[in-house]
Amino acid sequence: MQESQVIATVRGMEILDSRGNPTVSVNMSDGMFTVSAAVPSGASTGKHEALELRDGGKRFGGKGVLKAVQNVNGAIAGAISGFSPLRQTDIDRKMIALDGTPNKASLGANAILGVSMAATRLAAAQKHTELFSYFSGITGSKPLLPVPLLNVINGGVHAGGDLSVQEFLIVPAGFHSLREALTAAAEVYQSLKSELKAKHGASSTNVGDEGGFAPPFKTTTEALGAIRDAIEGAGYLAGKEIFLAIDAASSEFYRDGSYFLDGKRLSVGELTDFYLSIAKDFKLISIEDPFDEESFDDFASLTRLAGKKLQIIGDDIYVTNTARIRKGIELKSSNAVLIKLNQIGTVTETLESTKMTMDAGMAAVVSHRSGETTDTFIADMAVGLANGQIKTGAPARGERVAKYNRLLEIEENHPEIPFPGLSAFRRELAE
Ligand code: PGA
Ligand code: ZN
């Protein structure tokens, strides 16, 4: 094999995300291959996430990313040109050092991540290998298709309705292939659409940021009930083939020690009881961010009470940051961690967080953001990391289905890669 080529050009560009807000894309070339990568953006962001650099001022209501683009084209391009893209860790460490802040506030995590992702792609191109296979080479894991967690009803800050819980998800874990799982999920999505239309009128099938419907529901149980009906309406078994899950994103409805859920004010204890009751009634497989992003102990109590049978994912509490994940491991705060590249800002740190999570025996769930592009990076990343689960929205809208379609393509072209089904979840769930 020839000595690999070095990074010759790095160009940032301001593009639009799925909400019509600007985001960063990066083009990178070694003179032979040219690749690009685009950065996503959250709405219910964790307080401790790496900083997304925005321009301020009038343009795009202050959300422009020209300063971040400038940082890509100037300081970052200057610092990493001449590196082999195969030196991912060195490239990422160089950018972290150049930034010099704990949360990437000077160059912007959006600038740094775009470059980091592009470097991974360029390295895969140089190796003449697919991105997932390059990832699996880095991690030493055998490729594994992920079970999808699909968001079919959007609430919280992702929609304009009254639902406090942000995401109502279906998890087609009881199937033998990704194709079967996605077929079932798409059928349930259509079944839910017909049911909503029949009962609440066509406007109830308008969709939120992640492609799930945004019906005029007032309560969590109403939404869960509608999804269970839709699963059965499509001819599937709820709690056997297709499971229900939620992302409460509860930091968004937490104030001064209380949770304001569906028009009621709840204490931590009352909210815990509520989660336990819906977990039982609707056979939930997973609950994400049940408590506020600083509540490591409340997370731990719920995990102690229900964590054997229920996946409890930390998202805003960990923000894909190893220091926070380590604290969660020590306190046994959850049994799963959400993994989002742009919460931490480099591919290297994302891999470290995933490794720490999986080494501790917890599930890692690779995730999109509510503001996305059609970049399919996370689909390949999940297969190569072999973490077993991916959350990337409804089976609808281009920026969401781009990831699912990439996974279908990987499955089609590589039938030897297994689909884990329920084994991607805690063992007790399969019993
Ligand atoms: P966000 O939502 O991208 O708006 O943060 C996704 C999530 O909370 O999991
Ligand atoms: Zn979340």
Side-chain angles (χ1 to χ4, degrees):
M1 185 104 192
Q2 271 198 334
E3 190 61 24
S4 87
Q5 298 292 308
V6 298
I7 296 169
T9 56
V10 184
R11 296 282 309 162
M13 182 167 71
E14 187 181 62
I15 61 166
L16 294 175
D17 74 11
S18 56
R19 274 193 280 255
N21 291 324
T23 189
V24 177
S25 93
V26 172
N27 256 271
M28 187 180 282
S29 176
D30 61 2
M32 169 107 97
F33 300 103
T34 301
V35 297
S36 71
V39 176
S41 172
S44 64
T45 47
K47 211 169 24 196
H48 302 282
E49 290 192 21
L51 185 117
E52 191 176 65
L53 191 63
R54 300 280 181 189
D55 297 336
K58 274 188 76 157
R59 211 174 147 270
F60 280 120
K63 292 195 165 127
V65 292
L66 293 180
K67 284 182 189 160
V69 165
Q70 187 63 44
N71 292 340
V72 171
N73 295 340
I76 296 177
I80 66 151
S81 293
F83 275 65
S84 159
L86 301 176
R87 294 169 59 198
Q88 180 86 48
T89 313
D90 294 337
I91 292 168
D92 290 344
R93 297 266 172 257
K94 182 93 189 172
M95 290 192 284
I96 292 166
L98 189 66
D99 174 83
T101 70
N103 64 344
K104 304 185 175 65
S106 76
L107 294 172
N110 41 356
I112 292 173
L113 180 62
V115 174
S116 184
M117 290 163 71
T120 319
R121 272 221 169 93
L122 188 57
Q126 287 189 355
K127 290 270 193 188
H128 300 283
T129 184
E130 291 190 66
L131 185 58
F132 77 83
S133 165
Y134 182 68
F135 267 114
S136 102
I138 300 179
T139 60
S141 318
K142 262 182 87 164
L144 181 70
L145 286 158
V147 174
L149 287 75
L150 304 104
N151 186 358
V152 294
I153 291 186
N154 292 186
V157 298
H158 292 170
D162 293 330
L163 290 170
S164 303
V165 165
Q166 178 178 285
E167 301 173 16
F168 296 86
L169 308 113
I170 52 172
V171 185
F175 296 91
H176 298 294
S177 70
L178 180 75
R179 179 166 296 280
E180 282 175 344
L182 276 178
T183 301
E187 287 176 7
V188 170
Y189 184 76
Q190 301 304 343
S191 155
L192 179 60
K193 185 172 185 174
S194 312
E195 178 197 321
L196 289 173
K197 191 173 171 191
K199 289 194 185 148
H200 307 278
S203 69
S204 68
T205 63
N206 293 342
V207 299
D209 284 353
E210 296 187 347
F213 303 114
F217 289 159
K218 300 230 174 297
T219 66
T220 305
T221 48
E222 212 181 340
L224 289 170
I227 297 172
R228 186 169 56 193
D229 290 349
I231 294 171
E232 285 162 4
Y236 294 103
L237 297 169
K240 245 195 151 67
E241 291 171 314
I242 303 191
F243 297 80
L244 281 83
I246 60 168
D247 176 4
S250 64
S251 295
E252 301 290 331
F253 56 84
Y254 173 78
R255 247 183 1 262
D256 303 329
S258 295
Y259 291 89
F260 294 82
L261 180 92
D262 299 339
K264 283 198 219 123
R265 178 192 185 125
L266 301 181
S267 67
V268 172
E270 288 166 335
L271 185 60
T272 302
D273 289 345
F274 176 69
Y275 289 137
L276 294 174
S277 85
I278 58 171
K280 186 162 167 278
D281 293 351
F282 295 96
K283 299 199 190 108
L284 297 187
I285 196 169
S286 180
I287 297 185
E288 181 178 329
D289 280 356
F291 302 106
D292 172 67
E293 61 204 325
E294 307 295 356
S295 305
F296 284 85
D297 293 333
D298 298 333
F299 264 79
S301 309
L302 181 64
T303 302
R304 224 171 15 251
L305 283 169
K308 270 196 155 191
K309 295 219 173 269
L310 187 64
Q311 174 166 276
I312 294 159
I313 312 179
D315 170 13
D316 291 351
I317 188 171
Y318 299 134
V319 292
T320 317
N321 182 320
T322 48
R324 295 183 71 86
I325 296 170
R326 188 175 296 114
K327 184 172 171 186
I329 292 169
E330 280 162 14
L331 295 171
K332 298 189 167 54
S333 295
S334 69
N335 53 32
V337 176
L338 205 72
I339 300 290
K340 290 169 165 168
L341 285 153
N342 80 324
Q343 281 183 326
I344 191 68
T346 61
V347 171
T348 298
E349 290 163 290
T350 304
L351 297 183
E352 285 166 1
S353 294
T354 309
K355 183 173 180 344
M356 179 181 277
T357 299
M358 291 168 72
D359 285 352
M362 300 200 285
V365 182
V366 166
S367 171
H368 68 158
R369 298 308 303 249
S370 52
E372 267 293 338
T373 69
T374 49
D375 192 319
T376 57
F377 194 91
I378 58 166
D380 280 76
M381 188 174 89
V383 175
L385 263 49
N387 64 293
Q389 299 182 47
I390 193 168
K391 182 177 100 156
T392 189
R397 292 184 63 140
E399 76 282 5
R400 313 295 151 187
V401 298
K403 280 74 163 171
Y404 294 127
N405 288 340
R406 171 61 185 149
L407 291 170
L408 286 173
E409 182 180 55
I410 294 174
E411 182 176 61
E412 183 88 9
N413 295 337
H414 302 275
E416 73 284 3
I417 301 180
F419 177 72
L422 260 180
S423 70
F425 294 80
R426 296 188 68 73
R427 207 174 309 121
E428 295 87 341
L429 287 171
E431 285 165 3

